[in-house]
Amino acid sequence: MTKPRSRRGGGRPTIADVARKAGVGAITVSRALREPGRVSEDLRRQIQAAIDELGYVPDPNARALASARAEVFGVLVPSLTNNVFAEVVRGIYDSLSDSLFRIQIGNTHYSGLEEERLLQVFGSQRPAALIVAGIDQTLGARRLLENAGCPVVQVMETGPDPIDMMVGFSHFDGGKTAAEHLLQAGYRKIGFIGARMDPRSQRRLAGYRAAMEAAGVFDARLITTTPVPSSVSLGRELFRDALAKMPTLDGVFCNNDDIALGVLFECHRASLDVPKQIGIVGFNDLDMMQVSFPSITSVRTHRYEIGTRAVAMALAAIAGNRPDRRIVDLGFELMRRESTQR
């Protein structure tokens, strides 16, 4: 590997060295690095050749001092292992891969206090933008976001009162649609099974309850929930609990796909026919819903697109073209499969 050439007098190559080598002004080099679309392709190649030859590495701290903002997108999610949020983060990374912006991720572990602490850390670094999961921030977290001095995008949900911008979907409507589908398929003793029960899951439960009450078949004994983190094995346990409370149960709406898969496995173990005896609907539509046997009906959420749209909205705001639509609802799709085809 060739070592970067040192500039005359020693030390790291500077943007002025790159400009001299490329035969352009330092402002042009800066523009090519910050906004490559404003520089011709030939000039970009010329500047890149000089950068490669000199081994120039942009100094993010110097640029941050010049712009009063670090070239960083702060991203806060409640989990780094949950596939749902992993897809959102993938969309964010893919959207920023060709930009100068770096990504700093914080894991709130579903804790409002941890979210506040991370926002204090991120805020002290003066990020270019903040992307945060959810709309149920504490008063302290909301105040920090309102005073962040940069574009803020709340993701994974929609609501009437965005801090700045928002992109997601209605969890209430998703839950209501899932329950209505089971009712339309002829199921009547439809249970709700949920784990963790964060605010998004609570809204799915509220949507389920609204549909059941509208049909005149709601019974509180049909609800089985736990604050314990979700897993497939937990889904099996919760379904056994649900059957113990309501032996005539004939349908289940699960607050996520892990739980739905656990319910399916327990149905196989107990020799309960799916979909004839039990109908199952999951939420988020992870890949395993399509390949299970029978395949499981689920509410598909557009998680990757939420990540890419959040970045697009933040970048537009950074460029001074703040979107007219502050709230973007990407909706959801009910993916009808074998588990509800009676």
Side-chain angles (χ1 to χ4, degrees):
M1 182 183 295
T2 26
K3 293 182 180 178
R5 293 191 189 175
S6 298
R7 66 189 180 100
R8 194 166 46 200
R12 292 175 53 179
T14 67
I15 201 166
D17 296 327
V18 174
R20 276 194 297 271
K21 175 64 70 175
V24 298
I27 292 176
T28 303
V29 175
S30 178
R31 184 179 296 122
L33 291 171
R34 290 174 178 276
E35 302 173 88
R38 294 183 59 190
V39 178
S40 71
E41 188 175 342
D42 287 344
L43 201 51
R44 285 203 306 272
R45 277 201 291 262
Q46 185 178 329
I47 292 168
Q48 188 60 50
I51 288 172
D52 292 342
E53 183 176 345
L54 293 170
Y56 171 71
V57 178
D59 184 346
N61 294 324
R63 287 202 301 270
L65 285 173
S67 64
R69 284 281 155 196
E71 290 171 344
V72 171
F73 269 53
V75 179
L76 290 181
V77 292
S79 171
L80 295 177
T81 56
N82 187 321
N83 286 335
V84 172
F85 297 104
E87 278 292 286
V88 178
V89 171
R90 187 169 70 87
I92 293 169
Y93 267 97
D94 286 355
S95 297
L96 291 172
S97 61
D98 293 329
S99 77
L100 289 176
F101 292 104
R102 296 164 294 147
I103 298 169
Q104 185 172 353
I105 295 182
N107 184 353
T108 68
H109 300 283
Y110 294 90
S111 165
L113 292 177
E114 178 65 6
E115 184 175 54
E116 281 188 36
R117 189 188 72 79
L118 287 170
L119 283 172
Q120 289 171 347
V121 173
F122 281 21
S124 68
Q125 297 167 354
R126 300 183 61 78
L130 288 167
I131 298 175
V132 296
I135 61 176
D136 295 282
Q137 283 76 28
T138 64
L139 287 176
R142 189 175 181 93
R143 195 175 301 115
L144 287 166
L145 288 167
E146 288 170 344
N147 296 324
C150 66
V152 174
V153 188
Q154 293 163 282
V155 297
M156 290 304 288
E157 293 192 71
T158 56
D161 188 24
I163 293 168
D164 183 7
M165 296 173 285
M166 184 180 289
V167 55
F169 61 95
S170 168
H171 290 259
F172 176 91
D173 289 347
K176 188 168 181 283
T177 296
E180 287 173 345
H181 170 66
L182 284 163
L183 288 164
Q184 290 162 7
Y187 301 98
R188 283 297 174 268
K189 296 288 186 179
I190 303 166
F192 176 93
I193 296 182
R196 175 106 40 200
M197 297 310 293
D198 60 29
R200 287 171 289 280
S201 289
Q202 294 287 355
R203 282 187 266 279
R204 293 171 207 168
L205 171 57
Y208 153 87
R209 179 167 184 159
M212 295 290 283
E213 288 179 342
V217 293
F218 176 74
D219 185 329
R221 292 174 298 169
L222 291 166
I223 298 174
T224 304
T225 63
T226 177
V228 174
S230 178
S231 68
V232 175
S233 58
L234 181 62
R236 294 185 62 178
E237 295 173 23
L238 292 176
F239 182 59
R240 286 197 291 267
D241 292 344
L243 280 176
K245 288 191 297 180
M246 184 69 70
T248 55
L249 197 71
D250 68 353
V252 178
F253 168 45
C254 305
N255 79 320
N256 64 47
D257 292 338
D258 288 346
I259 298 297
L261 193 62
V263 170
L264 178 63
F265 288 163
E266 183 59 22
C267 285
H268 289 333
R269 191 201 65 79
S271 299
L272 291 171
D273 187 284
V274 176
K276 289 182 182 177
Q277 291 174 274
I278 298 285
I280 305 172
V281 177
F283 201 95
N284 283 314
D285 197 36
L286 302 181
D287 287 345
M288 58 191 176
M289 297 293 96
Q290 301 179 54
V291 299
S292 64
F293 181 77
S295 58
I296 300 176
T297 297
S298 188
V299 177
R300 175 174 293 176
T301 57
H302 306 295
R303 304 175 298 280
Y304 181 84
E305 291 79 3
I306 287 173
T308 59
R309 183 65 70 91
V311 170
M313 294 169 78
L315 288 175
I318 290 169
N321 302 312
R322 188 172 290 277
D324 293 331
R325 289 174 60 200
R326 295 176 61 206
I327 303 173
V328 176
D329 188 344
L330 294 182
F332 53 83
E333 295 176 71
L334 180 70
M335 308 306 293
R336 295 172 174 82
R337 297 196 181 97
E338 295 166 338
S339 69
T340 55
Q341 293 176 3
R342 245 181 174 172

